[in-house]
Amino acid sequence: MDVKILPLIASLHKRVPLTTKMVLIVVIIGIILWTITDFYQSNYHKNIHEVEHKNMINHVAVEQRMRFDNYVKKYFQSVKLFATQKKFSDYLEFLEKKKWTEDKHIQVIYHSQPPKWLPSRSILRTFIPAHYFILSDGKGRLREAYSREHAKLPQFFLKPDSVLYQLSQHQSFLTLYDNTPYIIASKRIPGEKGQLAGTLTLACPVDDKFLIQSQGVIGSSSLVALITGLDPFIIASNNKKMLPKGEKINALRDRFLVEEEGFFDYGNSDLLISLATFFPIAEIVSQNKHILYKERVNRTITIFIFIMTFAVIVYWITRHIQKITQQISTFSQETFGIKPEEVQKGDQLQILQERFRNLTEEVLVSRETLKRQANEQTRLIVNNAFDAIVTTDDGGIIKSWNPQAETIFGWTSEEAVGHIINDTIVSAQDHETFKKTLEYFMETGKWPVFNEQIVIMACHRDGHEFTAEFSVSPAWSGGHYIFIFIIRDVTERKQVEKKIKDLLSTVTKAKTEWETTFDSVTELILIMDKELNIIRCNKPFAEFTKKSIDEIIGGKCSDFLICGRELNNIIHNDQIKNKPERTEFETEDGRWLYVTHLPVFDEKGEFLNTVITATDITELKRIEESLTESRAELKERIDELENFYEMAVNRELKMIELKKEIVRLKDETLKNNPVEI
Amino acid sequence: MIVAGKTHKLKIFAFCLASLLLYGSAIHAAHDAAKSLRGPAFSDPTKHMQMPASWEEQPVKYESSAGDVSLAINLDQQMYRVLTPTIKEYAKKHGLNIAITDSTCGNSAGMLRRKMIDIGGFCCAPGMIDRFPGLRFHTTGIAPVALFVHPDNPIDNITLDQARRIFMGKINYWSELKTSDGRPGPEVMIKTVGRLHCKTRPGHWRLLLDNEDLFSSRMFEVGNISDMILQVASNTDAIGHETAWLATEYYKDRGRVKTLKIDGYAPEDLDALLSGKYPVYKTFSVTTWEGKETKNSVAGELVKFIKNQIETLDAGYGIVPISRLKKSGWKFKGSELIGEPELNN
């Protein structure tokens, strides 16, 4: 190809829109496929039609043969029937009586109408439209003849030989006279004494008319011919124009499908005659063309619809490609700050490809930058990490060693790299564990402590051992595993942890003690949050309410105590008042609680919760009541005693007074009347 | 009482005698009836057609369209299909240009009558109308005529009497016959298909029923073998007749058919045919001219070759050669088969 043309094609390829190109390609492929399928389909149709027509012609040929067979057979059956009819035997009897066989000079009678020894014309038409009806006497001499179409009697019938009658007397006989085939059927009629009284013969030239007549109206639409000879030729046909007499079959084979069969072995024949059925190949071709034309039209419409559908789809895809291209441009601009290129026209896919290539380049550049940055960041992280970061290969050989590792283990990077990590940093007591852990991973591919902290005793360069915490992460790199060890000196932390642990132990102990105390006191203790939900209660409370602690936690005080609502109100008010209160409540079962609630506030004065302490004072109440009653009774007794005292004392006093009065009076009396006394 | 006893015995004796006579006469009548239904197997070889003297003097004159031939033969349909390749080989070997046509007995007879051929082939035993002065028949063999049905037909075996009654239209339904396991055949009407060729020649279908008037008026007649096979192969209720090889082998492209046994003997059982137990067959023969003007030594040699070929022919063609026929007691006059063997029972 010319070198100048290539850039032109490339330019065209780029400039032509994708939809146009795709449609063009589809049209070209469609035309090629159409041509190929048309070629195969045409051949396929041709073959199918040939087979169908062959089957059809076989079928037609069978029908034509059967019609012809029946027609030929009719001749002999008809002559037998005509010879046995009464009018014929009467006529023959009449001639016999006239001793017609003995006539020396005979005058042949030619009838122009059906003679009286034959059935009427309608019957003749029904049975057989023979051409010649011949009556001969006992000596085989022609005596009377009737020609249906007033045709002249053939010469051989004027003086027929005995062989003719012998061959035609038991079956229809096909023979050739004067190059014309004839069908002859005869019936010899014996006389009273067994002598031959006469012979009735039916004959007909086997010509076009005969053939057409044999096929009837139904068979007139198909082409049929009688053929004979070693190189078969037509002797009669039902279509002179297409199948002319004398035409050789082999010459017709390129114009007709031919099916030939049939020997007239139901009769006698000294003719090699066959019935051939023809079907014009032109008609098959025409039918084939018509069907193919219809199919081609259908195919063209289908292809057109397909192409249009495809074009629409491609257009839709192209629109999306354009959008994607636009999105890539926007992305490039926003992400990488690259100025978008001018909107190009042409192959949208190529434009997208170009944009994508640019984007790829941009991404690669960015990736390299990011990679560099990441490496730098990694380096910084590793170098400035508080932990020692050591990498090894799958054999445990140290590959990298950060500054913190130098600090923790005392070895410089140069000293440590290339040595086995186990020997370098692990204390003797943990060598085996460390080694087995690495071996386990190499064997099973599983890391028993993956992403978990391993605490081992590490060894400093100066020989002192310390507690170190490892985390190990394997990574697949360059076809091998590398192990990233992050190691931290946790000596101080461990000490802190120990302290915390001790503290925790103390706290736990205190907590246990507190809880034991909490549950051991006889008071019912509840702790409620801001919303007055019970967040804690002690066992006595649970026993008092006959519920489990779990059932109580989260509930309201009112759920468990009849006085709960009232208590809640009080607590709520007291929260505001920020002071503890004491209250007595009677429960639904008649028990008395002495409730103390103490709101608890944080250092900011925010309410945290309320601690409620309830003491069962039922007994106290009972004693109090009893005391009250005793007091009343005592008072009553006192009153009574006082009354009695008053009464008794008063009476005594009165008595004393009276006595005093008496004494006075006596005295007075005595004074006045000392004798009377 | 004694008189009464004697009378009684006499009555019984008379009754038995009458029964025996009736039975005997019934069997005799049935035998006669069967015999009368069967046509002749062969014609009288001594009788022949009377031809004019001028005819006898006529030499054999081939059809002009045959061209320059050294021998003209017309063979019957079966022999043409069996022998043509070997005859062509023979011609090639002997440097002969032999024109062979494929046709019928009637055509052979016609061509012989017109003296157009040297050798005429017949698939039927020659009738009187075939016997022309100076013409000699050479039997080449016999072949069983099979009765055949559609392969789906469950009937496998029928008696000769049943076969006759079927074609006569006296047995009309397959259910009137029994299958091999004793069950009745299908309840469908029997469709008899006949090809009543060569009515004036003895043998062939005439051994089943002598003449066309004996056949059922319902019988469907066809004009050639191909249509016969086609009809039976396409109708499960049909029955037809043809030589076994043509029916089951040569025309199998027309459809498959199944041959029936007659009285337990299959048409393929050539021993049964030889012994006369299989009753229906065709006689194949070829002719040579023996007249002064017509004799052809080349034709005589070819006939010998044909006979030898048939002797060595595969049994699958179903043709019994003359050597076996002679050995089995079939009667010959010269080279022509003229009678069946005497049956022992």
Side-chain angles (χ1 to χ4, degrees):
Chain A
M1 195 177 281
D2 194 345
V3 182
K4 287 176 186 174
I5 295 171
L6 287 171
L8 186 70
I9 291 171
S11 170
L12 267 175
H13 177 53
K14 199 175 171 183
R15 262 189 267 167
V16 178
L18 184 65
T19 312
T20 314
K21 270 198 292 193
M22 285 294 120
V23 170
L24 272 172
I25 290 166
V26 169
V27 167
I28 291 164
I29 292 171
I31 289 167
I32 294 166
L33 283 176
W34 194 92
T35 313
I36 294 166
T37 50
D38 186 66
F39 174 75
Y40 283 106
Q41 210 165 9
S42 303
N43 281 338
Y44 177 74
H45 274 287
K46 198 180 159 192
N47 293 337
I48 291 270
H49 279 129
E50 270 180 21
V51 171
E52 278 178 0
H53 280 97
K54 271 179 189 167
N55 288 339
M56 183 268 290
I57 200 173
N58 279 342
H59 184 70
V60 170
V62 169
E63 286 180 349
Q64 286 176 341
R65 278 200 299 274
M66 283 178 183
R67 282 196 288 269
F68 190 80
D69 290 346
N70 284 329
Y71 193 70
V72 170
K73 274 184 288 184
K74 265 188 184 176
Y75 270 79
F76 183 63
Q77 308 306 346
S78 297
V79 79
K80 279 205 290 187
L81 194 72
F82 296 166
T84 51
Q85 61 164 340
K86 189 170 183 306
K87 61 201 279 191
F88 181 81
S89 42
D90 287 351
Y91 185 68
L92 204 63
E93 199 179 328
F94 164 73
L95 293 174
E96 274 284 272
K97 278 180 186 166
K98 281 175 65 183
K99 297 190 177 173
W100 69 319
T101 306
E102 290 167 18
D103 290 346
K104 285 183 182 171
H105 301 285
I106 53 171
Q107 183 71 42
V108 179
I109 304 165
Y110 294 100
H111 297 275
S112 58
Q113 294 295 325
K116 55 186 174 183
W117 41 271
L118 277 181
S120 63
R121 194 169 279 179
S122 64
I123 294 171
L124 289 179
R125 190 170 59 239
T126 306
F127 280 88
I128 197 80
H131 218 82
Y132 305 109
F133 299 83
I134 297 155
L135 183 62
S136 50
D137 61 21
K139 287 181 180 171
R141 295 176 301 179
L142 172 68
R143 299 300 296 265
E144 290 186 37
Y146 162 63
S147 170
R148 187 164 50 86
E149 293 180 2
H150 312 296
K152 198 179 169 187
L153 203 62
Q155 192 64 30
F156 65 90
F157 277 122
L158 300 178
K159 285 188 178 177
D161 59 27
S162 61
V163 178
L164 178 71
Y165 290 125
Q166 284 183 55
L167 292 172
S168 63
Q169 70 170 311
H170 293 291
Q171 53 200 340
S172 301
F173 173 53
L174 277 157
T175 189
L176 197 70
Y177 281 106
D178 299 333
N179 288 325
T180 305
Y182 282 89
I183 181 166
I184 303 163
S186 62
K187 179 69 183 169
R188 304 175 90 177
I189 299 103
E192 283 179 352
K193 294 170 186 170
Q195 83 289 4
L196 179 64
T199 303
L200 175 65
T201 304
L202 308 184
C204 188
V206 180
D207 53 10
D208 295 348
K209 281 182 192 169
F210 181 88
L211 187 62
I212 291 165
Q213 197 76 34
S214 75
Q215 294 303 309
V217 178
I218 293 171
S220 61
S221 58
S222 310
L223 292 171
V224 63
L226 281 168
I227 57 174
T228 189
L230 289 172
D231 183 6
F233 60 89
I234 292 171
I235 54 171
S237 81
N238 65 346
N239 189 320
K240 272 184 192 176
K241 199 177 170 186
M242 294 178 87
L243 304 170
K245 200 172 173 181
E247 186 82 43
K248 289 193 174 173
I249 299 302
N250 286 334
L252 291 168
R253 285 189 195 278
D254 55 349
R255 283 190 284 138
F256 294 94
L257 277 181
V258 186
E259 168 69 19
E260 53 182 302
E261 181 90 46
F263 309 102
F264 300 110
D265 50 7
Y266 39 74
N268 253 339
S269 170
D270 54 10
L271 277 175
L272 194 64
I273 194 167
S274 297
L275 194 73
T277 304
F278 296 81
F279 193 86
I281 290 171
E283 202 170 311
I284 299 171
V285 172
S286 165
Q287 282 179 10
N288 202 17
K289 270 185 184 170
H290 179 71
I291 292 166
L292 278 176
Y293 170 75
K294 288 274 176 195
E295 289 221 345
R296 278 171 185 156
V297 168
N298 287 342
R299 211 183 307 146
T300 308
I301 291 167
T302 310
I303 286 174
F304 178 74
I305 291 166
F306 270 115
I307 289 172
M308 289 312 292
T309 311
F310 185 77
V312 169
I313 292 167
V314 169
Y315 178 73
W316 180 79
I317 291 169
T318 309
R319 296 284 298 164
H320 278 262
I321 290 171
Q322 281 175 335
K323 278 182 190 173
I324 293 167
T325 310
Q326 189 56 43
Q327 281 169 1
I328 288 173
S329 294
T330 310
F331 178 78
S332 292
Q333 190 184 5
E334 287 173 358
T335 311
F336 305 109
I338 295 164
K339 194 184 169 188
E341 293 169 25
E342 281 180 18
V343 178
Q344 292 179 0
K345 285 186 179 176
D347 188 332
Q348 292 84 350
L349 206 58
Q350 281 228 337
I351 294 166
L352 175 66
Q353 204 176 355
E354 206 170 289
R355 289 280 158 90
F356 190 75
R357 194 165 49 237
N358 292 343
L359 179 67
T360 312
E361 282 168 9
E362 288 155 16
V363 168
L364 284 172
V365 168
S366 299
R367 195 181 69 172
E368 282 304 312
T369 310
L370 286 171
K371 202 174 167 183
R372 275 199 306 276
Q373 287 171 355
N375 283 342
E376 184 58 24
Q377 278 174 4
T378 307
R379 195 184 62 75
L380 287 170
I381 290 164
V382 169
N383 289 347
N384 295 301
F386 288 110
D387 297 331
I389 299 172
V390 179
T391 58
T392 72
D393 64 9
D394 49 7
I397 307 287
I398 296 167
K399 294 290 175 190
S400 71
W401 185 264
N402 74 339
Q404 190 60 23
E406 291 181 359
T407 309
I408 292 173
F409 297 105
W411 301 99
T412 64
S413 176
E414 288 75 24
E415 289 168 333
V417 169
H419 288 83
I420 293 170
I421 189 168
N422 204 1
D423 300 338
T424 312
I425 63 165
V426 182
S427 73
Q429 66 181 48
D430 282 347
H431 260 201
E432 201 56 30
T433 312
F434 193 84
K435 193 180 167 192
K436 279 183 179 172
T437 306
L438 285 181
E439 283 174 357
Y440 179 81
F441 176 80
M442 294 312 294
E443 279 174 18
T444 62
K446 291 174 186 172
W447 195 251
V449 285
F450 182 69
N451 280 344
E452 283 182 22
Q453 304 288 326
I454 315 163
V455 178
I456 59 161
M457 288 308 287
C459 184
H460 191 266
R461 185 179 184 176
D462 59 13
H464 85 264
E465 292 186 351
F466 59 93
T467 309
E469 196 178 72
F470 282 71
S471 71
V472 189
S473 305
W476 185 256
S477 171
H480 294 93
Y481 275 110
I482 58 164
F483 298 107
I484 303 153
F485 294 84
I486 298 172
I487 311 152
R488 181 176 292 174
D489 181 354
V490 291
T491 311
E492 284 179 17
R493 204 189 74 198
K494 284 288 170 187
Q495 287 167 355
V496 171
E497 275 176 6
K498 190 173 179 306
K499 281 179 187 171
I500 291 167
K501 197 176 172 186
D502 293 344
L503 193 63
L504 189 67
S505 175
T506 310
V507 169
T508 307
K509 194 179 169 188
K511 182 178 176 271
T512 310
E513 283 171 2
W514 182 84
E515 279 176 352
T516 309
T517 310
F518 186 65
D519 287 338
S520 302
V521 295
T522 53
E523 281 80 10
L524 317 179
I525 303 171
L526 290 173
I527 300 172
M528 295 199 288
D529 65 10
K530 213 184 276 183
E531 279 76 34
L532 304 179
N533 294 319
I534 299 168
I535 57 173
R536 187 140 201 169
C537 75
N538 67 348
K539 268 186 190 172
F541 183 79
E543 284 164 7
F544 182 81
T545 57
K546 293 173 185 169
K547 302 273 181 187
S548 69
I549 291 172
D550 291 340
E551 284 174 310
I552 294 164
I553 302 297
K556 299 276 186 191
C557 193
S558 54
D559 297 341
F560 309 104
L561 297 171
I562 198 163
C563 55
R565 192 176 294 276
E566 194 182 344
L567 182 61
N568 283 348
N569 290 336
I570 292 164
I571 294 165
H572 181 68
N573 294 333
D574 292 349
Q575 278 176 17
I576 299 160
K577 285 190 273 181
N578 191 10
K579 62 171 189 178
E581 282 293 336
R582 289 173 180 82
T583 321
E584 286 179 4
F585 292 104
E586 188 179 9
T587 63
E588 63 267 31
D589 56 353
R591 298 176 73 180
W592 282 90
L593 294 174
Y594 178 75
V595 179
T596 309
H597 65 91
L598 177 69
V600 179
F601 299 91
D602 61 10
E603 59 269 19
K604 290 177 184 172
E606 288 290 319
F607 175 82
L608 289 176
N609 49 50
T610 301
V611 180
I612 297 164
T613 310
T615 309
D616 190 349
I617 55 163
T618 312
E619 282 303 311
L620 281 173
K621 274 284 179 188
R622 201 172 292 139
I623 292 164
E624 189 185 337
E625 278 175 12
S626 177
L627 277 173
T628 310
E629 280 173 12
S630 300
R631 196 181 292 157
E633 195 178 339
L634 190 64
K635 193 176 178 268
E636 196 178 329
R637 292 285 171 86
I638 290 166
D639 288 345
E640 279 176 6
L641 202 62
E642 279 176 353
N643 288 336
F644 173 73
Y645 176 77
E646 196 178 335
M647 188 180 72
V649 170
N650 284 343
R651 198 170 56 187
E652 197 58 36
L653 287 172
K654 274 191 176 176
M655 283 300 283
I656 293 165
E657 281 179 10
L658 280 172
K659 277 174 180 179
K660 278 177 178 179
E661 189 66 29
I662 292 165
V663 168
R664 196 193 54 93
L665 286 170
K666 197 176 171 183
D667 288 345
E668 273 184 10
T669 313
L670 285 168
K671 267 178 186 179
N672 294 340
N673 305 338
V675 177
E676 289 175 11
I677 300 172
Chain B
M1 286 297 285
I2 293 167
V3 173
K6 271 186 180 174
T7 315
H8 185 66
K9 280 178 184 170
L10 273 170
K11 275 181 182 171
I12 290 170
F13 176 74
F15 176 76
C16 290
L17 191 66
S19 300
L20 272 170
L21 284 169
L22 274 170
Y23 178 69
S25 60
I27 287 177
H28 192 69
H31 184 70
D32 281 355
K35 214 171 176 184
S36 66
L37 290 173
R38 190 179 199 252
F42 304 99
S43 63
D44 183 353
T46 58
K47 291 181 180 171
H48 59 79
M49 294 279 281
Q50 293 299 318
M51 301 301 280
S54 59
W55 182 90
E56 288 188 40
E57 287 163 8
Q58 259 182 329
V60 173
K61 195 180 174 187
Y62 307 133
E63 194 181 336
S64 57
S65 61
D68 183 22
V69 295
S70 38
L71 213 56
I73 318 170
N74 182 64
L75 290 179
D76 65 272
Q77 295 170 68
Q78 185 154 348
M79 283 301 168
Y80 180 87
R81 279 145 187 81
V82 174
L83 293 174
T84 301
T86 50
I87 291 174
K88 280 183 177 170
E89 271 181 36
Y90 177 88
K92 202 175 171 186
K93 192 177 170 186
H94 292 85
L96 300 170
N97 182 12
I98 302 175
I100 315 172
T101 49
D102 170 21
S103 188
T104 62
C105 303
N107 286 135
S108 279
M111 289 177 184
L112 288 167
R113 187 170 63 84
R114 290 174 184 276
K115 290 198 170 171
M116 292 163 66
I117 51 173
D118 298 292
I119 299 169
F122 289 78
C123 63
C124 304
M128 207 272 276
I129 55 162
D130 303 316
R131 295 183 189 280
F132 300 110
L135 190 69
R136 186 178 169 192
F137 279 86
H138 307 264
T139 303
T140 53
I142 63 170
V145 171
L147 300 182
F148 56 86
V149 293
H150 192 276
D152 292 345
N153 193 318
I155 304 294
D156 297 315
N157 180 42
I158 55 174
T159 65
L160 180 60
D161 179 55
Q162 283 171 336
R164 285 185 171 134
R165 287 162 65 78
I166 287 169
F167 280 95
M168 288 168 84
K170 291 182 178 176
I171 292 177
N172 290 307
Y173 287 89
W174 285 109
S175 53
E176 293 174 55
L177 304 168
K178 295 271 191 291
T179 62
S180 52
D181 55 3
R183 285 185 294 181
E187 190 67 43
V188 287
M189 191 171 259
I190 301 171
K191 186 179 177 185
T192 47
V193 185
R195 189 171 71 88
L196 304 183
H197 58 95
C198 303
K199 296 179 184 78
T200 55
R201 295 183 181 88
H204 53 81
W205 56 265
R206 290 183 67 192
L207 298 178
L208 189 68
L209 290 170
D210 182 27
N211 61 68
E212 59 181 336
D213 289 332
L214 289 171
F215 284 83
S216 163
S217 54
R218 281 198 305 105
M219 186 174 79
F220 183 73
E221 271 194 82
V222 291
N224 57 61
I225 302 167
S226 165
D227 290 345
M228 164 71 81
I229 312 296
L230 188 69
Q231 286 297 327
V232 179
S234 14
N235 290 288
T236 50
D237 49 352
I239 182 170
H241 59 88
E242 189 45 64
T243 52
W245 180 73
L246 286 176
T248 58
E249 284 300 319
Y250 187 76
Y251 281 108
K252 61 186 173 191
D253 63 319
R254 291 285 162 146
R256 305 298 296 190
V257 294
K258 178 181 81 171
T259 56
L260 293 179
K261 288 178 184 172
I262 298 178
D263 291 324
Y265 296 104
E268 293 81 10
D269 181 357
L270 299 183
D271 290 330
L273 176 63
L274 265 174
S275 61
K277 288 170 185 162
Y278 191 85
V280 194
Y281 59 90
K282 273 186 174 183
T283 304
F284 294 99
S285 48
V286 287
T287 62
T288 51
W289 292 107
E290 300 296 325
K292 203 165 81 177
E293 299 293 329
T294 50
K295 189 165 183 171
N296 185 335
S297 60
V298 180
E301 288 301 314
L302 182 58
V303 166
K304 273 185 200 168
F305 172 77
I306 288 170
K307 284 159 93 173
N308 284 336
Q309 285 297 309
I310 291 170
E311 287 292 334
T312 56
L313 209 59
D314 187 273
Y317 289 104
I319 298 172
V320 182
I322 50 173
S323 62
R324 290 191 70 190
L325 290 168
K326 281 179 179 172
K327 209 182 275 180
S328 299
W330 290 66
K331 293 165 192 165
F332 280 79
K333 184 181 180 189
S335 57
E336 187 186 344
L337 179 66
I338 56 160
E340 294 170 339
E342 297 294 336
L343 285 174
N344 293 330
N345 46 5

